[in-house]
Amino acid sequence: MTVAPGADRVLILDFGSQFTQLIARRVRESGVYCEIHPYNRMSGAEIAAWRPRAIILSGGPASATTAEGPRPPQPVYEMGLPVLGICYGQQAMAAQLGGLVEPSDHREFGRAFVEVTGKSALVDGVWQKGERHQVWMSHGDRVTRLPKGFEVVAVSEGAPFAIAADEARRFYSVMFHPEVVHTPDGAKLLRNFTHKIAGCCGDWTMATFRAQAVQRIRDQVGKGRVICGLSGGVDSSVAAVLIHEAIGAQLTAVFIDHGLLRQGEADEVVRLFRDHYNIPLIHRDASAMFLGQLDGVSDPEAKRKAIGATFIDVFDQEAAKIGGAEFLAQGTLYPDVIESVSFTGGPSVTIKSHHNVGGLPERMKLKLVEPLRELFKDEVRVLGRELGLPDSLVGRHPFPGPGLAIRIPGAITSDKLDLLRRADAIYLDEIRKAGLYDAIWQAFAVLLPVRTVGVMGDGRTYDFACALRAVTSTDGMTADYYPFPHEFLGRVATRIINEVRGINRVTYDITSKPPGTIEWE
Ligand code: XMP
């Protein structure tokens, strides 16, 4: 279990709601450190030892109408701490404290309105008695009898106890989801809970995190040597700079160029880390080896496997040359940590195997240093800025580990890589010039394995077609295509066809995810 920084911390017990991470986001945005733990992994004693100022019970897909429904450990209600139950959390709380939960014939999904009928510290200064407010509901069952000590604070059409509270014991329960943006005042209600009710002072900032993380890295590593893989992406870059701040030259960064990076990217990484940050950096150009392993491979998963295995081999060789490292640093983020401890387990179908270098730590028998494992992606960006990393790196679109290999459907050759790099660079250049880069989650070109007939000047061409992709998204799980003006797309197409000899046709991909995925492979 991780040691939480900061004195004020809130524990979120997860019952598997798709919104649980958003609860953590809202709490942290109000300056309070929090962690999510599966409801069934901590005993009452462990929870007490973690010293939360308050506990939040998340929503979840289970039913509290039967005795088998998941419940938080009973001591949660006996520690004198404020407890907030959200949706399923409300039902579990009601069922455990002597109320009644029943299936409802009036299911509420999506937008609903609550009417405030009472007073409570939870709505204090936000909602007044008699007012109606928009909330986001997603439930079938509902509480039909409140436990002793609870009073109704708000009602909705489908939920007689949209908010109920036992002010004396500081137990609060809401049927709706205050953590989603469709409950416009939700963040304020959560803030009332953490600040006014639980007394958190909201002093958790990225500067605090940085200082504490540096200290923790020093404590963990001592005089040991650490190696860290750099990919040019945000997470590994921020991890490297943070660790370097903590232990200086005890860190060696290893940058393996697999030859599948975008135009100019490898030089940029070397310049920034070796020249600007003075981080000891090994730059291994292994592109020939990777291309050799990929020769004739056209299946997307086979590409990922070949790249992952080769990466591990090369990394291992470089680490052996450095010698004596005890620790391997990784830019693991909080969502990966939550996913891997989730009590429901991950998704049952593998759409794409993203964990490209998953086998590395086991193979190398190194201890892990993961200084970002408590942070969400956008918090990593804030930390990156705090550490002085340039905006061009911190705000960079995500880039997949297998790189351009999964943007060339079919077999990969160095000629195709060259065409794709040039088309992609033009596309991104135009996006930046139009000021659209930050409005887009990911934008890239894909080189299609088809050649088409064209006419340029007086001559016939028979060249490759390329597709442009740009999507908006908040987490990469779902995505919409970006609605570029036609005139912008026309400009990019003209430039690519004029400047990249070998491409004579450009298309724009307007598939959303689902049913498509962001990458083509
Ligand atoms: P998809 O294509 O699954 O992509 O909609 C979702 C996000 O994941 C990235 N992606 C990968 N990242 N290794 C990675 O490190 C991979 O094999 C991989 N495949 C997709 C993709 O760029 C998007 O951000």
Side-chain angles (χ1 to χ4, degrees):
M1 195 183 310
T2 48
V3 180
D8 290 338
R9 62 192 77 171
V10 167
L11 178 65
I12 299 167
L13 292 179
D14 180 29
F15 291 89
S17 160
Q18 52 179 323
F19 303 131
T20 306
Q21 292 200 23
L22 289 178
I23 304 175
R25 297 304 334 266
R26 298 286 102 81
V27 171
R28 289 189 185 189
E29 275 160 13
S30 72
V32 177
Y33 183 78
C34 63
E35 284 184 18
I36 299 171
H37 289 265
Y39 76 95
N40 55 355
R41 293 286 168 83
M42 289 170 96
S43 65
E46 283 170 321
I47 292 174
W50 197 79
R51 288 185 288 114
R53 295 288 295 244
I55 295 172
I56 298 177
L57 312 175
S58 86
S63 172
T65 54
T66 63
E68 297 81 50
R71 306 274 192 267
Q74 192 72 29
V76 158
Y77 307 106
E78 291 153 14
M79 295 175 183
L81 292 173
V83 183
L84 170 66
I86 295 175
C87 197
Y88 180 81
Q90 173 184 57
Q91 297 167 24
M93 191 184 217
Q96 264 173 310
L97 297 176
L100 192 65
V101 185
E102 288 179 311
S104 162
D105 26 329
H106 188 101
R107 296 157 77 85
E108 282 180 303
F109 288 102
R111 195 198 325 212
F113 286 87
V114 297
E115 187 185 334
V116 184
T117 54
K119 279 176 104 176
S120 166
L122 192 68
V123 298
D124 186 42
V126 184
W127 290 348
Q128 307 298 325
K129 199 171 162 180
E131 289 176 353
R132 254 166 71 84
H133 292 281
Q134 185 190 316
V135 298
W136 190 259
M137 294 273 190
S138 172
H139 68 96
D141 303 340
R142 64 179 191 181
V143 176
T144 50
R145 191 184 70 223
L146 288 175
K148 244 173 98 193
F150 277 76
E151 304 268 352
V152 185
V153 180
V155 299
S156 79
E157 219 172 286
F161 310 124
I163 305 180
D166 178 338
E167 300 287 337
R169 288 190 287 177
R170 297 189 296 170
F171 293 163
Y172 299 85
S173 69
V174 294
M175 191 67 245
F176 55 90
H177 288 274
E179 67 275 24
V180 305
V181 290
H182 311 287
T183 300
D185 292 324
K188 290 186 197 153
L189 302 180
L190 286 170
R191 194 186 167 89
N192 267 358
F193 179 69
T194 53
H195 288 61
K196 287 192 186 160
I197 295 167
C200 296
C201 61
D203 61 353
W204 189 72
T205 64
M206 213 31 90
T208 333
F209 180 87
R210 174 185 182 175
Q212 285 162 340
V214 162
Q215 192 51 50
R216 275 182 290 162
I217 294 166
R218 288 184 185 142
D219 292 345
Q220 185 190 358
V221 169
K223 296 211 173 325
R225 293 188 60 82
V226 180
I227 49 176
C228 163
L230 268 186
S231 67
V234 183
D235 308 337
S236 65
S237 302
V238 172
V241 174
L242 182 68
I243 294 170
H244 187 249
E245 175 166 292
I247 58 168
Q250 282 166 259
L251 170 74
T252 306
V254 179
F255 169 48
I256 291 164
D257 181 355
H258 53 18
L260 305 163
L261 294 173
R262 288 163 293 188
Q263 202 165 66
E265 214 164 12
D267 290 343
E268 239 176 277
V269 171
V270 174
R271 235 181 300 126
L272 183 68
F273 291 94
R274 189 183 283 160
D275 305 341
H276 182 75
Y277 277 103
N278 266 322
I279 297 180
L281 174 74
I282 292 173
H283 173 203
R284 164 88 182 263
D285 179 357
S287 41
M289 190 169 167
F290 278 89
L291 272 187
Q293 295 298 327
L294 286 168
D295 191 27
V297 179
S298 55
D299 175 73
E301 284 300 292
K303 286 180 184 175
R304 284 186 172 84
K305 282 206 181 76
I307 293 167
T310 311
F311 187 92
I312 291 176
D313 283 346
V314 178
F315 197 92
D316 213 5
Q317 285 168 12
E318 293 304 322
K321 285 187 212 159
I322 304 167
E326 270 175 78
F327 297 94
L328 175 71
Q330 288 194 332
T332 315
L333 301 192
Y334 199 41
D336 308 329
V337 176
I338 306 171
E339 179 87 354
S340 62
V341 298
S342 155
F343 68 91
T344 50
S348 51
V349 190
T350 304
I351 308 289
K352 300 179 187 184
S353 53
H354 283 200
H355 297 284
N356 320 299
V357 293
L360 199 54
E362 294 81 359
R363 157 112 164 239
M364 299 185 65
K365 302 194 178 60
L366 296 173
K367 286 174 250 171
L368 286 180
V369 182
E370 297 178 307
L372 311 181
R373 56 181 285 130
E374 286 135 13
L375 300 184
F376 289 102
K377 185 88 181 181
D378 46 349
E379 292 175 322
V380 172
R381 295 204 161 102
V382 176
L383 178 60
R385 291 198 182 94
E386 178 80 30
L387 290 162
L389 279 160
D391 259 347
S392 57
L393 191 140
V394 169
R396 188 171 282 187
H397 291 169
F399 185 65
L404 301 183
I406 54 170
R407 293 179 180 173
I408 301 180
I412 299 155
T413 63
S414 52
D415 289 346
K416 284 187 176 177
L417 278 167
D418 181 54
L419 287 180
L420 177 58
R421 268 193 197 104
R422 287 159 57 205
D424 188 70
I426 292 169
Y427 181 34
L428 287 178
D429 178 51
E430 288 294 334
I431 288 176
R432 285 204 180 86
K433 277 193 197 144
L436 298 174
Y437 189 84
D438 292 339
I440 293 168
W441 166 266
Q442 258 179 307
F444 53 88
V446 178
L447 188 76
L448 303 184
V450 265
R451 294 212 284 167
T452 72
V453 174
V455 53
M456 273 186 101
D458 290 330
R460 173 188 192 269
T461 58
Y462 186 52
D463 289 332
F464 285 108
C466 98
L468 305 178
R469 180 90 165 126
V471 295
T472 54
S473 176
T474 48
D475 52 12
M477 305 292 287
T478 58
D480 273 327
Y481 76 87
Y482 189 78
F484 285 122
H486 281 251
E487 176 269 326
F488 171 88
L489 290 169
R491 189 162 66 241
V492 177
T494 307
R495 267 196 71 191
I496 291 177
I497 293 166
N498 285 344
E499 295 174 36
V500 186
R501 196 167 194 169
I503 294 181
N504 70 353
R505 195 174 291 264
V506 174
T507 64
Y508 187 55
D509 178 0
I510 56 165
T511 318
S512 58
K513 174 183 179 174
T517 52
I518 295 175
E519 304 287 347
W520 275 46
E521 290 202 320

